[in-house]
Amino acid sequence: MLSLAYLARQPILDREGKIYAYELLFRDSPESDTAVIANDNLATAQVLENVLTNIGLPRLIGENKAFINCNREMLLDNIFKLLNPKWFVLEILEDVEVDEALVKAVAHYKERGFELALDDFIFNQEFLKRFEPLFPYVSYVKMDLVDNSTENMKQAAEFFKAKGIKLLAEKVEDAATYKTCFNLGYDFFQGFYFAKPELVTGKKLDSTSEAIIKLLFLLRTHPSLDEVSTGLEAYPDISENFLKFVNSKAGYVSKRIDKVRDAIAWVGLRHIQEWLTLILYARPEFGTAPQSSPLFQNATHRARFMEIITRFIGGTDDDLPAKAYMVGLISRVDALVGTPLENILNDSPMDDEIRDALLHRKGLLGKLLTLADAVEQDDKTTISQQLKDLKVSTNLLNRCVYDAYSWTHER
Protein backbone atom coordinates (compact mmCIF):
# COMPACT_ATOMS: atom_id res chain seq x y z
CA MET A 1 0.00 0.00 0.00
CA LEU A 2 1.22 3.50 -0.83
CA SER A 3 2.49 5.30 2.26
CA LEU A 4 1.56 8.95 2.35
CA ALA A 5 2.36 11.87 4.60
CA TYR A 6 -0.63 12.75 6.71
CA LEU A 7 -1.57 16.39 6.42
CA ALA A 8 -4.31 18.83 7.19
CA ARG A 9 -5.06 22.02 5.33
CA GLN A 10 -6.86 25.16 6.41
CA PRO A 11 -8.01 27.88 4.00
CA ILE A 12 -6.74 31.45 4.19
CA LEU A 13 -9.23 33.96 2.79
CA ASP A 14 -8.74 37.40 1.31
CA ARG A 15 -10.89 40.47 1.96
CA GLU A 16 -13.40 39.37 -0.69
CA GLY A 17 -13.96 36.05 1.07
CA LYS A 18 -12.13 34.07 -1.61
CA ILE A 19 -9.51 31.42 -0.91
CA TYR A 20 -6.06 32.97 -1.22
CA ALA A 21 -4.00 30.11 0.18
CA TYR A 22 -4.02 27.00 2.32
CA GLU A 23 -1.89 26.37 5.36
CA LEU A 24 -0.54 22.83 5.08
CA LEU A 25 0.17 21.08 8.37
CA PHE A 26 2.49 18.11 8.06
CA ARG A 27 2.69 15.22 10.54
CA ASP A 28 4.38 11.83 10.69
CA SER A 29 0.90 10.52 11.48
CA PRO A 30 -2.29 11.73 13.12
CA GLU A 31 -0.91 10.41 16.42
CA SER A 32 2.28 12.50 16.20
CA ASP A 33 2.63 15.24 18.79
CA THR A 34 4.84 17.43 16.62
CA ALA A 35 5.04 18.28 12.96
CA VAL A 36 7.64 16.25 11.12
CA ILE A 37 9.04 19.52 9.87
CA ALA A 38 9.85 20.48 13.44
CA ASN A 39 12.74 18.12 14.15
CA ASP A 40 14.08 15.64 11.63
CA ASN A 41 15.07 17.48 8.47
CA LEU A 42 15.71 14.33 6.47
CA ALA A 43 12.27 12.99 7.36
CA THR A 44 10.78 16.35 6.42
CA ALA A 45 12.39 16.28 3.00
CA GLN A 46 10.99 12.79 2.45
CA VAL A 47 7.54 13.91 3.56
CA LEU A 48 7.56 16.92 1.26
CA GLU A 49 8.78 14.84 -1.64
CA ASN A 50 6.08 12.27 -0.94
CA VAL A 51 3.35 14.89 -0.82
CA LEU A 52 4.55 16.63 -3.95
CA THR A 53 4.97 13.38 -5.86
CA ASN A 54 2.06 11.27 -4.67
CA ILE A 55 -0.70 13.67 -3.74
CA GLY A 56 0.40 16.43 -6.06
CA LEU A 57 0.32 20.13 -5.27
CA PRO A 58 -2.56 20.95 -7.66
CA ARG A 59 -4.75 18.48 -5.79
CA LEU A 60 -3.98 20.14 -2.50
CA ILE A 61 -4.07 23.84 -3.30
CA GLY A 62 -5.31 24.28 -6.89
CA GLU A 63 -4.12 27.68 -8.10
CA ASN A 64 -3.64 29.00 -4.58
CA LYS A 65 -0.53 29.35 -2.42
CA ALA A 66 0.60 26.97 0.31
CA PHE A 67 1.80 28.24 3.70
CA ILE A 68 4.12 25.79 5.49
CA ASN A 69 5.78 26.03 8.91
CA CYS A 70 9.57 26.23 9.17
CA ASN A 71 11.84 26.02 12.16
CA ARG A 72 15.39 27.32 12.48
CA GLU A 73 17.12 24.06 11.51
CA MET A 74 15.16 23.70 8.32
CA LEU A 75 15.84 27.24 7.22
CA LEU A 76 19.56 26.89 7.91
CA ASP A 77 19.77 23.50 6.19
CA ASN A 78 18.04 24.76 3.04
CA ILE A 79 15.49 21.96 3.30
CA PHE A 80 13.00 23.74 1.02
CA LYS A 81 15.27 23.97 -2.00
CA LEU A 82 13.12 21.42 -3.87
CA LEU A 83 10.04 23.63 -3.61
CA ASN A 84 8.78 26.05 -6.23
CA PRO A 85 8.72 29.57 -4.69
CA LYS A 86 5.75 30.45 -6.89
CA TRP A 87 3.47 28.31 -4.74
CA PHE A 88 5.00 28.20 -1.27
CA VAL A 89 5.08 30.73 1.56
CA LEU A 90 7.52 29.85 4.33
CA GLU A 91 6.15 30.53 7.82
CA ILE A 92 8.90 31.28 10.34
CA LEU A 93 7.80 29.89 13.69
CA GLU A 94 7.43 32.19 16.67
CA ASP A 95 10.09 30.43 18.78
CA VAL A 96 12.87 30.74 16.19
CA GLU A 97 16.17 32.19 17.41
CA VAL A 98 17.09 35.11 15.18
CA ASP A 99 20.79 35.65 14.61
CA GLU A 100 23.10 36.49 11.72
CA ALA A 101 22.99 32.97 10.31
CA LEU A 102 19.18 32.90 10.25
CA VAL A 103 18.92 36.34 8.67
CA LYS A 104 21.32 35.21 5.96
CA ALA A 105 19.24 32.08 5.29
CA VAL A 106 16.00 34.08 5.14
CA ALA A 107 17.60 36.59 2.77
CA HIS A 108 18.67 33.69 0.56
CA TYR A 109 15.10 32.38 0.32
CA LYS A 110 13.85 35.87 -0.42
CA GLU A 111 16.38 36.19 -3.25
CA ARG A 112 15.16 32.87 -4.66
CA GLY A 113 11.66 34.31 -4.92
CA PHE A 114 10.03 32.86 -1.81
CA GLU A 115 7.56 34.88 0.21
CA LEU A 116 8.04 34.61 3.95
CA ALA A 117 5.69 35.02 6.89
CA LEU A 118 6.10 35.42 10.63
CA ASP A 119 3.82 32.97 12.41
CA ASP A 120 1.87 33.56 15.65
CA PHE A 121 3.28 37.05 16.10
CA ILE A 122 2.61 38.79 19.41
CA PHE A 123 2.77 42.56 19.13
CA ASN A 124 5.01 43.43 22.05
CA GLN A 125 8.52 44.79 22.52
CA GLU A 126 10.12 41.37 22.90
CA PHE A 127 8.79 40.12 19.53
CA LEU A 128 9.45 43.42 17.77
CA LYS A 129 13.06 43.50 18.94
CA ARG A 130 13.73 39.82 18.19
CA PHE A 131 12.25 39.78 14.68
CA GLU A 132 13.22 43.27 13.55
CA PRO A 133 16.17 41.98 11.44
CA LEU A 134 13.70 39.89 9.41
CA PHE A 135 11.19 42.65 8.62
CA PRO A 136 12.90 43.63 5.32
CA TYR A 137 12.37 40.08 4.02
CA VAL A 138 8.88 39.33 5.31
CA SER A 139 5.72 39.60 3.18
CA TYR A 140 3.17 38.54 5.80
CA VAL A 141 2.73 38.68 9.57
CA LYS A 142 0.20 36.31 11.11
CA MET A 143 -1.41 37.80 14.21
CA ASP A 144 -2.87 35.26 16.61
CA LEU A 145 -6.12 36.63 18.06
CA VAL A 146 -5.81 34.48 21.16
CA ASP A 147 -2.51 36.04 22.25
CA ASN A 148 -3.12 39.61 21.06
CA SER A 149 -5.59 42.17 22.37
CA THR A 150 -7.71 44.32 20.09
CA GLU A 151 -5.33 47.17 20.78
CA ASN A 152 -2.39 44.94 19.78
CA MET A 153 -4.17 44.09 16.53
CA LYS A 154 -4.74 47.77 15.81
CA GLN A 155 -1.15 48.79 16.56
CA ALA A 156 0.18 45.90 14.48
CA ALA A 157 -1.92 46.96 11.50
CA GLU A 158 -0.52 50.49 11.63
CA PHE A 159 3.06 49.34 12.25
CA PHE A 160 3.35 46.65 9.57
CA LYS A 161 1.33 48.39 6.88
CA ALA A 162 3.77 51.28 7.08
CA LYS A 163 6.46 48.74 6.18
CA GLY A 164 4.47 47.27 3.28
CA ILE A 165 3.89 43.99 5.12
CA LYS A 166 0.50 42.29 4.79
CA LEU A 167 -1.45 41.28 7.89
CA LEU A 168 -3.20 37.96 8.42
CA ALA A 169 -5.60 37.47 11.33
CA GLU A 170 -5.39 33.93 12.75
CA LYS A 171 -7.97 32.07 14.84
CA VAL A 172 -10.91 34.18 13.74
CA GLU A 173 -13.76 32.46 15.56
CA ASP A 174 -16.79 34.73 15.19
CA ALA A 175 -18.33 37.40 12.99
CA ALA A 176 -17.59 40.25 15.41
CA THR A 177 -13.87 39.44 15.48
CA TYR A 178 -13.76 39.13 11.71
CA LYS A 179 -15.48 42.50 11.31
CA THR A 180 -13.05 44.14 13.73
CA CYS A 181 -10.00 42.82 11.88
CA PHE A 182 -11.54 43.68 8.53
CA ASN A 183 -12.17 47.27 9.63
CA LEU A 184 -8.59 47.51 10.91
CA GLY A 185 -7.43 46.76 7.38
CA TYR A 186 -6.22 43.19 7.74
CA ASP A 187 -5.55 41.60 4.37
CA PHE A 188 -6.17 37.92 5.08
CA PHE A 189 -8.15 35.81 7.53
CA GLN A 190 -7.90 32.28 8.86
CA GLY A 191 -9.87 30.45 11.50
CA PHE A 192 -12.83 28.41 12.61
CA TYR A 193 -15.30 31.15 11.73
CA PHE A 194 -14.82 30.42 8.04
CA ALA A 195 -15.49 26.71 8.52
CA LYS A 196 -18.50 27.28 10.74
CA PRO A 197 -19.83 30.81 10.18
CA GLU A 198 -22.09 32.46 12.71
CA LEU A 199 -25.54 30.92 12.59
CA VAL A 200 -28.78 32.85 12.39
CA THR A 201 -32.30 31.50 12.52
CA GLY A 202 -35.19 31.78 10.14
CA LYS A 203 -34.21 29.87 7.00
CA LYS A 204 -34.89 26.32 5.94
CA LEU A 205 -34.41 24.16 2.89
CA ASP A 206 -37.26 24.43 0.44
CA SER A 207 -38.88 21.48 -1.30
CA THR A 208 -36.57 21.67 -4.31
CA SER A 209 -33.47 21.43 -2.14
CA GLU A 210 -34.95 18.46 -0.31
CA ALA A 211 -35.68 16.80 -3.67
CA ILE A 212 -32.08 17.34 -4.79
CA ILE A 213 -30.84 15.72 -1.58
CA LYS A 214 -33.06 12.70 -2.23
CA LEU A 215 -31.71 12.39 -5.77
CA LEU A 216 -28.10 12.71 -4.62
CA PHE A 217 -28.67 9.93 -2.13
CA LEU A 218 -30.19 7.78 -4.86
CA LEU A 219 -27.16 8.31 -7.10
CA ARG A 220 -24.77 7.07 -4.38
CA THR A 221 -26.58 3.70 -4.17
CA HIS A 222 -25.46 2.51 -7.65
CA PRO A 223 -28.94 2.70 -9.19
CA SER A 224 -29.99 1.39 -12.57
CA LEU A 225 -30.70 3.71 -15.48
CA ASP A 226 -34.42 3.18 -14.98
CA GLU A 227 -34.20 4.04 -11.28
CA VAL A 228 -32.37 7.30 -11.99
CA SER A 229 -34.80 8.18 -14.76
CA THR A 230 -37.81 7.52 -12.53
CA GLY A 231 -36.21 9.51 -9.72
CA LEU A 232 -35.55 12.57 -11.85
CA GLU A 233 -38.94 12.47 -13.54
CA ALA A 234 -40.61 12.53 -10.12
CA TYR A 235 -39.53 16.17 -9.88
CA PRO A 236 -40.61 17.96 -13.09
CA ASP A 237 -38.77 21.22 -12.32
CA ILE A 238 -35.48 19.44 -11.75
CA SER A 239 -35.81 17.14 -14.75
CA GLU A 240 -36.70 20.11 -16.97
CA ASN A 241 -33.63 21.99 -15.84
CA PHE A 242 -31.54 18.85 -16.31
CA LEU A 243 -32.62 18.64 -19.95
CA LYS A 244 -31.78 22.32 -20.40
CA PHE A 245 -28.34 21.67 -18.92
CA VAL A 246 -27.66 18.75 -21.26
CA ASN A 247 -28.87 20.55 -24.38
CA SER A 248 -27.16 23.85 -23.63
CA LYS A 249 -23.71 22.46 -22.90
CA ALA A 250 -21.56 23.44 -25.87
CA GLY A 251 -20.63 20.44 -27.97
CA TYR A 252 -22.09 17.95 -25.49
CA VAL A 253 -24.74 16.54 -27.79
CA SER A 254 -25.00 16.63 -31.56
CA LYS A 255 -28.78 16.86 -31.53
CA ARG A 256 -31.44 17.92 -29.08
CA ILE A 257 -32.38 15.40 -26.38
CA ASP A 258 -35.96 15.54 -25.14
CA LYS A 259 -36.18 12.48 -22.90
CA VAL A 260 -34.69 12.33 -19.41
CA ARG A 261 -33.65 8.72 -19.85
CA ASP A 262 -31.70 9.51 -23.02
CA ALA A 263 -30.05 12.50 -21.33
CA ILE A 264 -28.92 10.32 -18.43
CA ALA A 265 -27.36 7.85 -20.83
CA TRP A 266 -25.51 10.65 -22.61
CA VAL A 267 -24.27 12.44 -19.52
CA GLY A 268 -23.50 9.60 -17.12
CA LEU A 269 -24.18 9.34 -13.41
CA ARG A 270 -21.05 11.15 -12.28
CA HIS A 271 -21.90 14.31 -14.22
CA ILE A 272 -25.48 14.19 -12.98
CA GLN A 273 -24.22 14.04 -9.42
CA GLU A 274 -21.89 16.99 -10.00
CA TRP A 275 -24.71 18.97 -11.56
CA LEU A 276 -27.07 18.20 -8.68
CA THR A 277 -24.43 19.11 -6.09
CA LEU A 278 -23.80 22.41 -7.83
CA ILE A 279 -27.46 23.37 -8.08
CA LEU A 280 -28.01 22.32 -4.46
CA TYR A 281 -25.36 24.75 -3.28
CA ALA A 282 -26.57 27.36 -5.75
CA ARG A 283 -30.08 27.36 -4.29
CA PRO A 284 -31.30 30.87 -3.30
CA GLU A 285 -31.17 30.04 0.40
CA PHE A 286 -27.41 29.47 0.09
CA GLY A 287 -26.61 32.97 -1.14
CA THR A 288 -24.61 33.97 -4.20
CA ALA A 289 -21.91 31.87 -5.84
CA PRO A 290 -21.40 29.43 -2.96
CA GLN A 291 -19.69 26.97 -5.30
CA SER A 292 -16.61 29.20 -5.26
CA SER A 293 -16.50 29.34 -1.48
CA PRO A 294 -14.24 27.30 0.79
CA LEU A 295 -17.35 25.83 2.41
CA PHE A 296 -18.56 24.34 -0.87
CA GLN A 297 -15.14 22.86 -1.58
CA ASN A 298 -14.91 21.57 1.97
CA ALA A 299 -18.35 19.95 1.79
CA THR A 300 -17.63 18.04 -1.42
CA HIS A 301 -14.20 16.96 -0.19
CA ARG A 302 -15.37 15.66 3.18
CA ALA A 303 -18.35 13.93 1.55
CA ARG A 304 -16.06 11.99 -0.75
CA PHE A 305 -13.60 11.27 2.07
CA MET A 306 -16.34 9.81 4.26
CA GLU A 307 -17.71 7.73 1.40
CA ILE A 308 -14.29 6.29 0.55
CA ILE A 309 -13.36 5.32 4.08
CA THR A 310 -16.65 3.48 4.65
CA ARG A 311 -15.82 1.15 1.76
CA PHE A 312 -12.84 -0.11 3.77
CA ILE A 313 -14.67 -0.35 7.07
CA GLY A 314 -17.23 -2.79 5.71
CA GLY A 315 -20.43 -3.76 7.43
CA THR A 316 -23.78 -5.19 6.48
CA ASP A 317 -25.37 -1.94 5.29
CA ASP A 318 -24.88 -1.70 1.53
CA ASP A 319 -26.08 1.91 1.64
CA LEU A 320 -23.45 2.98 4.18
CA PRO A 321 -21.13 4.69 1.64
CA ALA A 322 -24.10 6.61 0.21
CA LYS A 323 -25.19 7.66 3.68
CA ALA A 324 -21.64 8.71 4.57
CA TYR A 325 -21.44 10.86 1.44
CA MET A 326 -24.71 12.58 2.29
CA VAL A 327 -23.68 13.21 5.90
CA GLY A 328 -20.47 14.86 4.73
CA LEU A 329 -22.26 16.97 2.12
CA ILE A 330 -25.10 18.10 4.37
CA SER A 331 -22.82 18.78 7.34
CA ARG A 332 -21.86 22.11 5.77
CA VAL A 333 -25.34 23.15 4.69
CA ASP A 334 -26.02 24.92 7.99
CA ALA A 335 -23.09 27.28 7.43
CA LEU A 336 -24.17 28.12 3.89
CA VAL A 337 -27.85 28.54 4.71
CA GLY A 338 -27.12 30.37 7.94
CA THR A 339 -29.34 28.38 10.26
CA PRO A 340 -28.83 25.47 12.67
CA LEU A 341 -29.01 21.94 11.32
CA GLU A 342 -31.91 21.23 13.66
CA ASN A 343 -34.03 23.69 11.67
CA ILE A 344 -32.77 22.44 8.32
CA LEU A 345 -33.52 18.80 9.08
CA ASN A 346 -37.08 19.41 10.25
CA ASP A 347 -39.38 17.57 7.85
CA SER A 348 -36.38 16.64 5.71
CA PRO A 349 -35.98 13.25 4.00
CA MET A 350 -33.13 12.18 6.31
CA ASP A 351 -33.48 8.89 8.16
CA ASP A 352 -32.72 8.66 11.88
CA GLU A 353 -29.20 7.31 11.33
CA ILE A 354 -28.17 10.29 9.22
CA ARG A 355 -30.01 12.73 11.48
CA ASP A 356 -28.29 11.37 14.62
CA ALA A 357 -24.89 11.59 12.94
CA LEU A 358 -25.41 15.19 11.89
CA LEU A 359 -26.98 16.48 15.07
CA HIS A 360 -25.41 14.35 17.78
CA ARG A 361 -22.35 12.68 16.19
CA LYS A 362 -23.89 9.31 17.10
CA GLY A 363 -23.32 5.94 15.46
CA LEU A 364 -20.75 4.93 12.91
CA LEU A 365 -21.61 7.87 10.65
CA GLY A 366 -21.23 10.22 13.60
CA LYS A 367 -17.75 8.84 14.30
CA LEU A 368 -16.79 9.30 10.66
CA LEU A 369 -18.04 12.88 10.68
CA THR A 370 -16.08 13.53 13.88
CA LEU A 371 -12.99 12.10 12.18
CA ALA A 372 -13.51 14.32 9.12
CA ASP A 373 -13.84 17.38 11.37
CA ALA A 374 -10.70 16.42 13.28
CA VAL A 375 -8.63 15.93 10.09
CA GLU A 376 -9.65 19.35 8.81
CA GLN A 377 -8.89 21.01 12.15
CA ASP A 378 -5.64 19.04 12.66
CA ASP A 379 -6.96 17.78 16.01
CA LYS A 380 -4.45 15.01 16.63
CA THR A 381 -6.02 13.77 19.87
CA THR A 382 -9.45 13.29 18.32
CA ILE A 383 -7.99 11.74 15.18
CA SER A 384 -6.10 9.19 17.23
CA GLN A 385 -9.18 8.30 19.28
CA GLN A 386 -11.45 7.96 16.25
CA LEU A 387 -8.97 5.81 14.37
CA LYS A 388 -8.81 3.53 17.40
CA ASP A 389 -12.60 3.35 17.73
CA LEU A 390 -13.08 2.74 14.01
CA LYS A 391 -10.17 0.26 13.84
CA VAL A 392 -8.67 2.24 10.98
CA SER A 393 -4.92 2.45 10.42
CA THR A 394 -2.97 5.62 9.79
CA ASN A 395 -1.99 4.37 6.33
CA LEU A 396 -5.63 3.80 5.44
CA LEU A 397 -6.56 7.28 6.64
CA ASN A 398 -3.76 8.75 4.54
CA ARG A 399 -4.90 6.86 1.48
CA CYS A 400 -8.52 7.96 1.90
CA VAL A 401 -7.48 11.60 2.29
CA TYR A 402 -5.33 11.27 -0.83
CA ASP A 403 -8.12 9.67 -2.86
CA ALA A 404 -10.59 12.34 -1.76
CA TYR A 405 -8.19 15.14 -2.76
CA SER A 406 -7.64 13.43 -6.11
CA TRP A 407 -11.36 13.14 -6.78
CA THR A 408 -12.28 16.70 -5.81
CA HIS A 409 -9.50 18.26 -7.90
CA GLU A 410 -9.88 16.06 -10.98
CA ARG A 411 -13.60 16.49 -11.52
Side-chain angles (χ1 to χ4, degrees):
M1 177 177 287
L2 181 64
S3 176
L4 293 171
Y6 164 74
L7 60 89
R9 67 175 188 177
Q10 187 176 32
I12 295 171
L13 277 62
D14 63 17
R15 290 178 63 85
E16 296 180 357
K18 298 178 181 178
I19 296 177
Y20 174 75
Y22 289 99
E23 180 171 5
L24 301 184
L25 303 165
F26 295 97
R27 296 288 185 267
D28 279 316
S29 72
E31 294 85 1
S32 177
D33 290 330
T34 57
V36 292
I37 60 174
N39 295 310
D40 189 341
N41 290 350
L42 176 60
T44 302
Q46 293 171 344
V47 168
L48 288 172
E49 182 180 9
N50 205 0
V51 169
L52 293 172
T53 302
N54 294 321
I55 297 179
L57 200 60
R59 292 170 179 167
L60 288 175
I61 65 171
E63 294 298 316
N64 308 110
K65 291 180 179 290
F67 280 61
I68 53 174
N69 293 337
C70 319
N71 71 357
R72 175 183 170 85
E73 289 74 20
M74 297 184 66
L75 290 167
L76 294 180
D77 287 350
N78 199 24
I79 200 74
F80 298 112
K81 61 185 177 182
L82 73 161
L83 302 182
N84 186 336
K86 177 181 178 180
W87 303 112
F88 288 91
V89 177
L90 307 183
E91 288 190 40
I92 302 170
L93 296 178
E94 68 278 10
D95 58 358
V96 162
E97 178 188 352
V98 180
D99 57 14
E100 184 177 351
L102 185 82
V103 173
K104 184 177 180 180
V106 168
H108 172 70
Y109 277 113
K110 180 73 171 180
E111 290 172 1
R112 285 197 54 206
F114 281 95
E115 289 187 310
L116 295 107
L118 296 179
D119 192 27
D120 290 338
F121 197 90
I122 301 175
F123 196 78
N124 60 27
Q125 289 303 312
E126 189 274 324
F127 267 68
L128 288 170
K129 182 178 179 180
R130 177 151 57 95
F131 288 103
E132 183 178 10
L134 300 183
F135 291 162
Y137 310 104
V138 169
S139 299
Y140 311 88
V141 169
K142 301 181 73 174
M143 295 287 294
D144 189 326
L145 285 158
V146 174
D147 295 321
N148 286 283
S149 65
T150 302
E151 183 61 27
N152 286 153
M153 300 295 286
K154 179 181 179 181
Q155 292 176 359
E158 296 171 351
F159 180 85
F160 287 114
K161 282 189 172 296
K163 296 181 178 298
I165 297 174
K166 297 176 181 177
L167 271 294
L168 189 157
E170 289 189 286
K171 298 181 181 177
V172 179
E173 296 186 354
D174 55 57
T177 304
Y178 168 64
K179 184 178 180 180
T180 296
C181 294
F182 187 92
N183 290 339
L184 289 174
Y186 276 67
D187 303 283
F188 304 104
F189 310 88
Q190 180 179 3
F192 189 67
Y193 170 64
F194 304 105
K196 274 286 192 184
E198 180 186 33
L199 301 180
V200 294
T201 59
K203 298 179 182 179
K204 61 178 290 186
L205 295 183
D206 65 14
S207 57
T208 300
S209 296
E210 291 183 358
I212 294 169
I213 289 173
K214 289 181 180 179
L215 290 170
L216 281 167
F217 184 83
L218 172 65
L219 288 171
R220 309 308 295 185
T221 62
H222 303 289
S224 67
L225 179 60
D226 287 337
E227 287 174 326
V228 178
S229 179
T230 300
L232 276 170
E233 289 172 344
Y235 306 103
D237 290 345
I238 297 176
S239 58
E240 180 181 350
N241 285 330
F242 174 60
L243 287 172
K244 289 179 180 178
F245 160 72
V246 173
N247 286 302
S248 66
K249 192 170 182 181
Y252 206 83
V253 294
S254 57
K255 62 180 180 179
R256 181 174 178 80
I257 295 178
D258 295 315
K259 294 182 178 180
V260 170
R261 195 178 192 281
D262 293 339
I264 295 169
W266 270 99
V267 173
L269 297 186
R270 177 170 175 173
H271 288 300
I272 298 173
Q273 174 194 299
E274 293 173 353
W275 176 74
L276 284 170
T277 301
L278 181 60
I279 65 171
L280 172 65
Y281 278 85
R283 296 292 301 153
E285 59 263 40
F286 293 159
T288 59
Q291 62 271 24
S292 64
S293 76
L295 282 170
F296 176 79
Q297 296 181 27
N298 174 235
T300 54
H301 175 265
R302 67 159 48 188
R304 181 58 173 165
F305 165 72
M306 290 179 63
E307 179 186 38
I308 292 171
I309 201 167
T310 57
R311 298 189 185 282
F312 293 97
I313 291 175
T316 58
D317 186 355
D318 292 337
D319 288 339
L320 184 62
K323 291 177 180 178
Y325 183 90
M326 293 310 302
V327 167
L329 190 67
I330 297 168
S331 66
R332 282 296 183 245
V333 168
D334 59 340
L336 282 164
V337 173
T339 196
L341 275 173
E342 291 90 338
N343 293 10
I344 294 171
L345 297 180
N346 285 340
D347 303 319
S348 73
M350 300 303 139
D351 63 24
D352 289 340
E353 185 181 7
I354 292 178
R355 190 184 303 273
D356 285 344
L358 288 165
L359 297 181
H360 310 298
R361 296 298 196 269
K362 289 185 177 180
L364 177 57
L365 293 174
K367 288 183 178 294
L368 291 170
L369 183 56
T370 300
L371 176 61
D373 276 330
V375 168
E376 292 162 12
Q377 296 296 325
D378 193 36
D379 182 347
K380 298 178 290 299
T381 301
T382 302
I383 291 170
S384 180
Q385 183 60 54
Q386 293 305 314
L387 290 181
K388 181 179 179 181
D389 291 347
L390 292 166
K391 295 180 174 59
V392 170
S393 69
T394 299
N395 280 343
L396 178 56
L397 173 66
N398 293 338
R399 185 54 194 252
C400 291
V401 171
Y402 162 68
D403 287 346
Y405 279 133
S406 299
W407 178 81
T408 52
H409 286 286
E410 290 178 353
R411 289 180 299 154

